[in-house]
Amino acid sequence: MNTSQNFHNKSLKELKDICRADPQKYRGFSSLKKDDLIQFMYQKNSTQTRRPRYRPSYNLSDCSHIFETPEESEERIQSYYEPKPEDSIIQDLISSLQRRYPTSSVAYDSHNDEYSDMIYKGNKGKYISQYGSLGEHGEGILYHGTDGKNLLSILGDDFRLTSNPVHGHMYGKGIYFTNDIEKAIYYSERGKTTKYVIVCNVHIGDICLGNGRMDIHPKMPNLDKSFDTSVDNIHSPKQFIKKKNGTYNILGILTIEDYNEKSNHINRQFTGSFQLNNTLEHHISLYWVPDHARGPNVDIRLCKKMTELKAKYGGNISATRQLCQIGHTFICVAHFPTGFDPLSSDAIVRVFTSKKRNEIITI
């Protein structure tokens, strides 16, 4: 062996500079760690005609060495132990649940999977390089309620896009997330006192209204790009459907033990409510208007009838209370006697959108 050079006394940078000066001789040096690189360089400078085959010391199942230097690897590993922006959001969530359910045990376990994290970051980087940003809604913390029997499968093999959804697919096939923690809790272990919620960082991006027939997200108008996420409501979404793995990253598991179903009254599933008063001398019907039916000319056939209110009689008015989601739109249709209205016996007399709880709507 040629001992004119002592590679052990040189830094990693100096060793790589030597290799760069003779790339033909040291082909394949760039991915090696220092100890492996020294051995590699000594072998390349050996005077023996037969050399043992070089075998790197790293585990071939670890592919991180292909993409980063040792310094970058150390920086990446260190980042897992530093506070992240989502940490404060999750801590606020835990504190809120502990106040809401003081008799329950609320625990959060982080899920640090560096490879899934690299895939998610890589997909975001590719997306930004193609489109200049992460889309209108960027990314956010969302929740997925599940049963305990599914946890290990999801954490080990990711969400399954091909399996039949347990809770249906009203807004199309895919992985369902929500920004409403109560909705996520509701979908976990129904009827049981232990609940599991997977907390994820999700690329939401550009959204479209989902439907039961939507298997893939459609193209955006006038753009060579598809929508990133479908939702249940464009203006006030509660459910977010993803159709691609790698567009979210699992942050951890939220576990609630001794959950009291009675303390989670059904009203918690709804963010808004209103009282509807009918002061007309004609009975009216209340309809919920789905997003795809909105517009200047609402087609009642596309709306869902909620209830009917009797006509005002004497000094008594008819009233009803309705739970709803903030952002949902409703119409009130008055039913006039035949001949009363030359155009139609039915007429839309009010259109309104829920803005808060306990609103008063008077017709």
Side-chain angles (χ1 to χ4, degrees), residues 1 5 11 29 48 82 93 97 104 147 160 218 242 256 294 308:
M1 179 180 292
Q5 298 189 71
S11 67
F29 75 92
Q48 299 177 8
E82 296 175 351
L93 170 67
L97 290 172
S104 301
D147 294 345
R160 302 286 179 87
K242 300 299 296 182
I256 304 176
R294 291 186 184 184
E308 285 194 4

Side-chain angles (χ1 to χ4, degrees), residues 287-304 329-333 347-348 350-352:
Y287 289 83
W288 169 70
V289 184
D291 275 15
H292 64 270
R294 291 186 184 184
N297 299 307
V298 179
D299 187 343
I300 297 178
R301 293 171 298 179
L302 301 177
C303 302
K304 179 180 179 181
T329 296
F330 299 85
I331 58 173
C332 298
V333 177
I348 297 175
R350 183 72 177 271
V351 179
F352 65 93

Side-chain angles (χ1 to χ4, degrees), residues 334-348:
H335 304 289
F336 299 110
T338 302
F340 183 89
D341 185 338
L343 297 178
S344 172
S345 59
D346 296 329
I348 297 175

